[in-house]
mmCIF file of all heavy atoms in Angstrom:
data_model
loop_
_atom_site.group_PDB
_atom_site.id
_atom_site.type_symbol
_atom_site.label_atom_id
_atom_site.label_comp_id
_atom_site.label_asym_id
_atom_site.label_seq_id
_atom_site.Cartn_x
_atom_site.Cartn_y
_atom_site.Cartn_z
ATOM 1 N N ALA A 1 0.813 -1.222 0.000
ATOM 2 C CA ALA A 1 0.000 0.000 0.000
ATOM 3 C C ALA A 1 0.843 1.266 0.000
ATOM 4 O O ALA A 1 0.386 2.330 -0.434
ATOM 5 C CB ALA A 1 -0.942 0.000 1.201
ATOM 6 N N THR A 2 2.061 1.189 0.477
ATOM 7 C CA THR A 2 2.877 2.406 0.588
ATOM 8 C C THR A 2 3.523 2.811 -0.732
ATOM 9 O O THR A 2 4.207 3.832 -0.793
ATOM 10 C CB THR A 2 3.982 2.195 1.638
ATOM 11 O OG1 THR A 2 4.780 1.055 1.255
ATOM 12 C CG2 THR A 2 3.382 1.936 3.011
ATOM 13 N N ASP A 3 3.307 2.039 -1.796
ATOM 14 C CA ASP A 3 4.029 2.310 -3.046
ATOM 15 C C ASP A 3 3.573 3.573 -3.756
ATOM 16 O O ASP A 3 4.380 4.276 -4.356
ATOM 17 C CB ASP A 3 3.880 1.113 -3.997
ATOM 18 C CG ASP A 3 4.857 -0.002 -3.669
ATOM 19 O OD1 ASP A 3 5.698 0.194 -2.778
ATOM 20 O OD2 ASP A 3 4.769 -1.076 -4.292
ATOM 21 N N SER A 4 2.267 3.856 -3.768
ATOM 22 C CA SER A 4 1.776 4.996 -4.542
ATOM 23 C C SER A 4 0.366 5.371 -4.081
ATOM 24 O O SER A 4 -0.249 4.683 -3.266
ATOM 25 C CB SER A 4 1.750 4.662 -6.042
ATOM 26 O OG SER A 4 0.759 3.683 -6.321
ATOM 27 N N PHE A 5 -0.130 6.469 -4.635
ATOM 28 C CA PHE A 5 -1.498 6.899 -4.360
ATOM 29 C C PHE A 5 -2.494 5.824 -4.765
ATOM 30 O O PHE A 5 -3.452 5.529 -4.048
ATOM 31 C CB PHE A 5 -1.775 8.201 -5.116
ATOM 32 C CG PHE A 5 -3.215 8.638 -5.105
ATOM 33 C CD1 PHE A 5 -3.766 9.237 -3.978
ATOM 34 C CD2 PHE A 5 -4.020 8.447 -6.218
ATOM 35 C CE1 PHE A 5 -5.102 9.636 -3.974
ATOM 36 C CE2 PHE A 5 -5.351 8.849 -6.219
ATOM 37 C CZ PHE A 5 -5.887 9.449 -5.088
ATOM 38 N N PHE A 6 -2.257 5.191 -5.915
ATOM 39 C CA PHE A 6 -3.188 4.168 -6.399
ATOM 40 C C PHE A 6 -3.166 2.919 -5.523
ATOM 41 O O PHE A 6 -4.208 2.305 -5.294
ATOM 42 C CB PHE A 6 -2.872 3.816 -7.854
ATOM 43 C CG PHE A 6 -3.300 4.860 -8.832
ATOM 44 C CD1 PHE A 6 -2.377 5.723 -9.392
ATOM 45 C CD2 PHE A 6 -4.630 5.009 -9.179
ATOM 46 C CE1 PHE A 6 -2.780 6.700 -10.291
ATOM 47 C CE2 PHE A 6 -5.044 5.974 -10.070
ATOM 48 C CZ PHE A 6 -4.109 6.832 -10.631
ATOM 49 N N THR A 7 -2.010 2.548 -5.026
ATOM 50 C CA THR A 7 -1.971 1.353 -4.177
ATOM 51 C C THR A 7 -2.672 1.599 -2.846
ATOM 52 O O THR A 7 -3.310 0.688 -2.305
ATOM 53 C CB THR A 7 -0.518 0.907 -3.922
ATOM 54 O OG1 THR A 7 0.215 1.971 -3.314
ATOM 55 C CG2 THR A 7 0.159 0.487 -5.220
ATOM 56 N N ARG A 8 -2.590 2.815 -2.330
ATOM 57 C CA ARG A 8 -3.281 3.103 -1.061
ATOM 58 C C ARG A 8 -4.798 3.146 -1.274
ATOM 59 O O ARG A 8 -5.557 2.643 -0.445
ATOM 60 C CB ARG A 8 -2.778 4.418 -0.460
ATOM 61 C CG ARG A 8 -1.363 4.328 0.100
ATOM 62 C CD ARG A 8 -0.986 5.564 0.893
ATOM 63 N NE ARG A 8 -0.925 6.768 0.057
ATOM 64 C CZ ARG A 8 0.133 7.140 -0.646
ATOM 65 N NH1 ARG A 8 1.225 6.399 -0.631
ATOM 66 N NH2 ARG A 8 0.121 8.252 -1.360
ATOM 67 N N GLN A 9 -5.248 3.732 -2.370
ATOM 68 C CA GLN A 9 -6.671 3.724 -2.674
ATOM 69 C C GLN A 9 -7.159 2.294 -2.898
ATOM 70 O O GLN A 9 -8.235 1.894 -2.435
ATOM 71 C CB GLN A 9 -6.947 4.571 -3.917
ATOM 72 C CG GLN A 9 -6.709 6.059 -3.737
ATOM 73 C CD GLN A 9 -7.761 6.708 -2.845
ATOM 74 O OE1 GLN A 9 -8.876 6.221 -2.702
ATOM 75 N NE2 GLN A 9 -7.396 7.833 -2.221
ATOM 76 N N PHE A 10 -6.362 1.512 -3.614
ATOM 77 C CA PHE A 10 -6.682 0.111 -3.871
ATOM 78 C C PHE A 10 -6.787 -0.652 -2.552
ATOM 79 O O PHE A 10 -7.702 -1.465 -2.347
ATOM 80 C CB PHE A 10 -5.571 -0.488 -4.743
ATOM 81 C CG PHE A 10 -5.980 -1.685 -5.545
ATOM 82 C CD1 PHE A 10 -6.135 -1.590 -6.914
ATOM 83 C CD2 PHE A 10 -6.183 -2.902 -4.957
ATOM 84 C CE1 PHE A 10 -6.491 -2.688 -7.679
ATOM 85 C CE2 PHE A 10 -6.541 -4.015 -5.700
ATOM 86 C CZ PHE A 10 -6.705 -3.903 -7.060
ATOM 87 N N ALA A 11 -5.843 -0.409 -1.657
ATOM 88 C CA ALA A 11 -5.848 -1.094 -0.366
ATOM 89 C C ALA A 11 -7.090 -0.742 0.447
ATOM 90 O O ALA A 11 -7.682 -1.602 1.121
ATOM 91 C CB ALA A 11 -4.584 -0.736 0.417
ATOM 92 N N MET A 12 -7.507 0.534 0.400
ATOM 93 C CA MET A 12 -8.734 0.929 1.094
ATOM 94 C C MET A 12 -9.947 0.213 0.512
ATOM 95 O O MET A 12 -10.804 -0.288 1.251
ATOM 96 C CB MET A 12 -8.935 2.448 0.996
ATOM 97 C CG MET A 12 -8.280 3.245 2.100
ATOM 98 S SD MET A 12 -9.010 4.906 2.280
ATOM 99 C CE MET A 12 -8.626 5.637 0.711
ATOM 100 N N GLU A 13 -10.033 0.170 -0.811
ATOM 101 C CA GLU A 13 -11.155 -0.512 -1.463
ATOM 102 C C GLU A 13 -11.233 -1.971 -1.035
ATOM 103 O O GLU A 13 -12.307 -2.489 -0.710
ATOM 104 C CB GLU A 13 -10.980 -0.439 -2.980
ATOM 105 C CG GLU A 13 -11.354 0.877 -3.606
ATOM 106 C CD GLU A 13 -11.243 0.798 -5.117
ATOM 107 O OE1 GLU A 13 -10.189 0.380 -5.618
ATOM 108 O OE2 GLU A 13 -12.217 1.155 -5.800
ATOM 109 N N TYR A 14 -10.111 -2.659 -1.073
ATOM 110 C CA TYR A 14 -10.091 -4.065 -0.700
ATOM 111 C C TYR A 14 -10.479 -4.258 0.759
ATOM 112 O O TYR A 14 -11.204 -5.196 1.105
ATOM 113 C CB TYR A 14 -8.692 -4.650 -0.952
ATOM 114 C CG TYR A 14 -8.563 -5.385 -2.260
ATOM 115 C CD1 TYR A 14 -9.275 -4.966 -3.390
ATOM 116 C CD2 TYR A 14 -7.737 -6.488 -2.390
ATOM 117 C CE1 TYR A 14 -9.159 -5.638 -4.596
ATOM 118 C CE2 TYR A 14 -7.617 -7.172 -3.599
ATOM 119 C CZ TYR A 14 -8.325 -6.743 -4.691
ATOM 120 O OH TYR A 14 -8.221 -7.421 -5.874
ATOM 121 N N ALA A 15 -9.991 -3.383 1.633
ATOM 122 C CA ALA A 15 -10.321 -3.509 3.056
ATOM 123 C C ALA A 15 -11.817 -3.326 3.279
ATOM 124 O O ALA A 15 -12.432 -4.045 4.079
ATOM 125 C CB ALA A 15 -9.522 -2.484 3.867
ATOM 126 N N VAL A 16 -12.419 -2.370 2.569
ATOM 127 C CA VAL A 16 -13.869 -2.154 2.695
ATOM 128 C C VAL A 16 -14.635 -3.361 2.186
ATOM 129 O O VAL A 16 -15.563 -3.858 2.839
ATOM 130 C CB VAL A 16 -14.288 -0.876 1.941
ATOM 131 C CG1 VAL A 16 -15.809 -0.776 1.868
ATOM 132 C CG2 VAL A 16 -13.721 0.355 2.619
ATOM 133 N N LEU A 17 -14.252 -3.868 1.011
ATOM 134 C CA LEU A 17 -14.994 -4.967 0.396
ATOM 135 C C LEU A 17 -14.842 -6.265 1.183
ATOM 136 O O LEU A 17 -15.840 -6.920 1.531
ATOM 137 C CB LEU A 17 -14.525 -5.172 -1.044
ATOM 138 C CG LEU A 17 -15.164 -6.342 -1.797
ATOM 139 C CD1 LEU A 17 -16.670 -6.162 -1.910
ATOM 140 C CD2 LEU A 17 -14.543 -6.490 -3.187
ATOM 141 N N PHE A 18 -13.605 -6.660 1.476
ATOM 142 C CA PHE A 18 -13.366 -7.992 2.039
ATOM 143 C C PHE A 18 -13.437 -8.043 3.562
ATOM 144 O O PHE A 18 -13.700 -9.114 4.120
ATOM 145 C CB PHE A 18 -12.013 -8.521 1.564
ATOM 146 C CG PHE A 18 -11.979 -8.827 0.095
ATOM 147 C CD1 PHE A 18 -11.386 -7.944 -0.799
ATOM 148 C CD2 PHE A 18 -12.561 -9.971 -0.401
ATOM 149 C CE1 PHE A 18 -11.366 -8.207 -2.155
ATOM 150 C CE2 PHE A 18 -12.551 -10.253 -1.755
ATOM 151 C CZ PHE A 18 -11.956 -9.363 -2.632
ATOM 152 N N ASP A 19 -13.224 -6.915 4.226
ATOM 153 C CA ASP A 19 -13.276 -6.924 5.688
ATOM 154 C C ASP A 19 -14.570 -6.345 6.244
ATOM 155 O O ASP A 19 -14.837 -6.484 7.440
ATOM 156 C CB ASP A 19 -12.090 -6.139 6.267
ATOM 157 C CG ASP A 19 -10.751 -6.765 5.920
ATOM 158 O OD1 ASP A 19 -10.733 -7.970 5.616
ATOM 159 O OD2 ASP A 19 -9.735 -6.059 5.915
ATOM 160 N N GLN A 20 -15.362 -5.696 5.378
ATOM 161 C CA GLN A 20 -16.605 -5.096 5.849
ATOM 162 C C GLN A 20 -17.819 -5.571 5.050
ATOM 163 O O GLN A 20 -18.749 -6.157 5.611
ATOM 164 C CB GLN A 20 -16.499 -3.556 5.794
ATOM 165 C CG GLN A 20 -15.484 -2.983 6.775
ATOM 166 C CD GLN A 20 -15.383 -1.470 6.690
ATOM 167 O OE1 GLN A 20 -15.904 -0.828 5.784
ATOM 168 N NE2 GLN A 20 -14.693 -0.883 7.652
ATOM 169 N N MET A 21 -17.806 -5.330 3.730
ATOM 170 C CA MET A 21 -18.998 -5.621 2.932
ATOM 171 C C MET A 21 -19.313 -7.121 2.890
ATOM 172 O O MET A 21 -20.442 -7.540 3.184
ATOM 173 C CB MET A 21 -18.815 -5.089 1.505
ATOM 174 C CG MET A 21 -18.703 -3.591 1.395
ATOM 175 S SD MET A 21 -20.219 -2.710 1.857
ATOM 176 C CE MET A 21 -21.295 -3.121 0.497
ATOM 177 N N ILE A 22 -18.339 -7.943 2.529
ATOM 178 C CA ILE A 22 -18.602 -9.374 2.381
ATOM 179 C C ILE A 22 -18.949 -10.023 3.720
ATOM 180 O O ILE A 22 -19.898 -10.828 3.783
ATOM 181 C CB ILE A 22 -17.416 -10.070 1.684
ATOM 182 C CG1 ILE A 22 -17.384 -9.646 0.211
ATOM 183 C CG2 ILE A 22 -17.503 -11.589 1.809
ATOM 184 C CD1 ILE A 22 -16.273 -10.265 -0.607
ATOM 185 N N PRO A 23 -18.250 -9.717 4.836
ATOM 186 C CA PRO A 23 -18.706 -10.262 6.127
ATOM 187 C C PRO A 23 -20.120 -9.820 6.496
ATOM 188 O O PRO A 23 -20.888 -10.610 7.066
ATOM 189 C CB PRO A 23 -17.676 -9.709 7.120
ATOM 190 C CG PRO A 23 -16.445 -9.521 6.306
ATOM 191 C CD PRO A 23 -16.931 -9.061 4.957
ATOM 192 N N TRP A 24 -20.473 -8.595 6.168
ATOM 193 C CA TRP A 24 -21.835 -8.122 6.448
ATOM 194 C C TRP A 24 -22.846 -8.883 5.601
ATOM 195 O O TRP A 24 -23.874 -9.355 6.112
ATOM 196 C CB TRP A 24 -21.916 -6.622 6.164
ATOM 197 C CG TRP A 24 -23.274 -6.012 6.400
ATOM 198 C CD1 TRP A 24 -24.101 -6.253 7.464
ATOM 199 C CD2 TRP A 24 -23.948 -5.075 5.558
ATOM 200 N NE1 TRP A 24 -25.256 -5.515 7.336
ATOM 201 C CE2 TRP A 24 -25.190 -4.778 6.180
ATOM 202 C CE3 TRP A 24 -23.620 -4.446 4.365
ATOM 203 C CZ2 TRP A 24 -26.095 -3.892 5.612
ATOM 204 C CZ3 TRP A 24 -24.521 -3.553 3.814
ATOM 205 C CH2 TRP A 24 -25.752 -3.281 4.435
ATOM 206 N N PHE A 25 -22.571 -9.038 4.313
ATOM 207 C CA PHE A 25 -23.460 -9.805 3.448
ATOM 208 C C PHE A 25 -23.592 -11.240 3.946
ATOM 209 O O PHE A 25 -24.675 -11.832 3.909
ATOM 210 C CB PHE A 25 -22.924 -9.796 2.014
ATOM 211 C CG PHE A 25 -23.331 -8.585 1.213
ATOM 212 C CD1 PHE A 25 -23.316 -7.321 1.775
ATOM 213 C CD2 PHE A 25 -23.720 -8.695 -0.110
ATOM 214 C CE1 PHE A 25 -23.670 -6.202 1.049
ATOM 215 C CE2 PHE A 25 -24.094 -7.587 -0.855
ATOM 216 C CZ PHE A 25 -24.070 -6.333 -0.269
ATOM 217 N N THR A 26 -22.482 -11.820 4.408
ATOM 218 C CA THR A 26 -22.516 -13.189 4.924
ATOM 219 C C THR A 26 -23.441 -13.304 6.123
ATOM 220 O O THR A 26 -24.262 -14.228 6.222
ATOM 221 C CB THR A 26 -21.103 -13.643 5.321
ATOM 222 O OG1 THR A 26 -20.281 -13.685 4.149
ATOM 223 C CG2 THR A 26 -21.128 -15.026 5.954
ATOM 224 N N SER A 27 -23.328 -12.369 7.038
ATOM 225 C CA SER A 27 -24.146 -12.428 8.248
ATOM 226 C C SER A 27 -25.631 -12.290 7.954
ATOM 227 O O SER A 27 -26.475 -12.797 8.697
ATOM 228 C CB SER A 27 -23.704 -11.337 9.229
ATOM 229 O OG SER A 27 -23.985 -10.044 8.708
ATOM 230 N N GLU A 28 -25.967 -11.609 6.844
ATOM 231 C CA GLU A 28 -27.368 -11.422 6.466
ATOM 232 C C GLU A 28 -27.881 -12.511 5.527
ATOM 233 O O GLU A 28 -29.054 -12.519 5.173
ATOM 234 C CB GLU A 28 -27.545 -10.054 5.798
ATOM 235 C CG GLU A 28 -27.174 -8.862 6.674
ATOM 236 C CD GLU A 28 -28.092 -8.724 7.876
ATOM 237 O OE1 GLU A 28 -29.242 -9.217 7.816
ATOM 238 O OE2 GLU A 28 -27.670 -8.126 8.886
ATOM 239 N N GLY A 29 -26.988 -13.410 5.080
ATOM 240 C CA GLY A 29 -27.400 -14.460 4.157
ATOM 241 C C GLY A 29 -27.589 -13.986 2.736
ATOM 242 O O GLY A 29 -28.317 -14.614 1.953
ATOM 243 N N TRP A 30 -26.928 -12.893 2.354
ATOM 244 C CA TRP A 30 -27.054 -12.342 1.005
ATOM 245 C C TRP A 30 -25.961 -12.907 0.100
ATOM 246 O O TRP A 30 -24.858 -13.225 0.550
ATOM 247 C CB TRP A 30 -26.939 -10.818 1.026
ATOM 248 C CG TRP A 30 -28.005 -10.139 1.819
ATOM 249 C CD1 TRP A 30 -29.268 -10.609 2.065
ATOM 250 C CD2 TRP A 30 -27.914 -8.868 2.474
ATOM 251 N NE1 TRP A 30 -29.971 -9.709 2.819
ATOM 252 C CE2 TRP A 30 -29.169 -8.623 3.101
ATOM 253 C CE3 TRP A 30 -26.917 -7.911 2.604
ATOM 254 C CZ2 TRP A 30 -29.429 -7.476 3.823
ATOM 255 C CZ3 TRP A 30 -27.176 -6.760 3.327
ATOM 256 C CH2 TRP A 30 -28.422 -6.544 3.932
ATOM 257 N N ALA A 31 -26.270 -12.993 -1.175
ATOM 258 C CA ALA A 31 -25.259 -13.382 -2.163
ATOM 259 C C ALA A 31 -24.315 -12.204 -2.404
ATOM 260 O O ALA A 31 -24.674 -11.039 -2.190
ATOM 261 C CB ALA A 31 -25.932 -13.793 -3.468
ATOM 262 N N PHE A 32 -23.102 -12.509 -2.852
ATOM 263 C CA PHE A 32 -22.142 -11.447 -3.140
ATOM 264 C C PHE A 32 -21.210 -11.896 -4.274
ATOM 265 O O PHE A 32 -20.986 -13.095 -4.462
ATOM 266 C CB PHE A 32 -21.320 -11.072 -1.896
ATOM 267 C CG PHE A 32 -20.595 -12.221 -1.259
ATOM 268 C CD1 PHE A 32 -19.344 -12.636 -1.719
ATOM 269 C CD2 PHE A 32 -21.149 -12.895 -0.184
ATOM 270 C CE1 PHE A 32 -18.677 -13.694 -1.128
ATOM 271 C CE2 PHE A 32 -20.490 -13.952 0.427
ATOM 272 C CZ PHE A 32 -19.243 -14.349 -0.049
#
């Protein structure tokens, strides 16, 4: 993530999707 502006933005996106959105969808029984 420390390599560039794009890698830090990319890292934020991945953290939101895989550490927040998908676990939330899982807990609700939603497809993703």
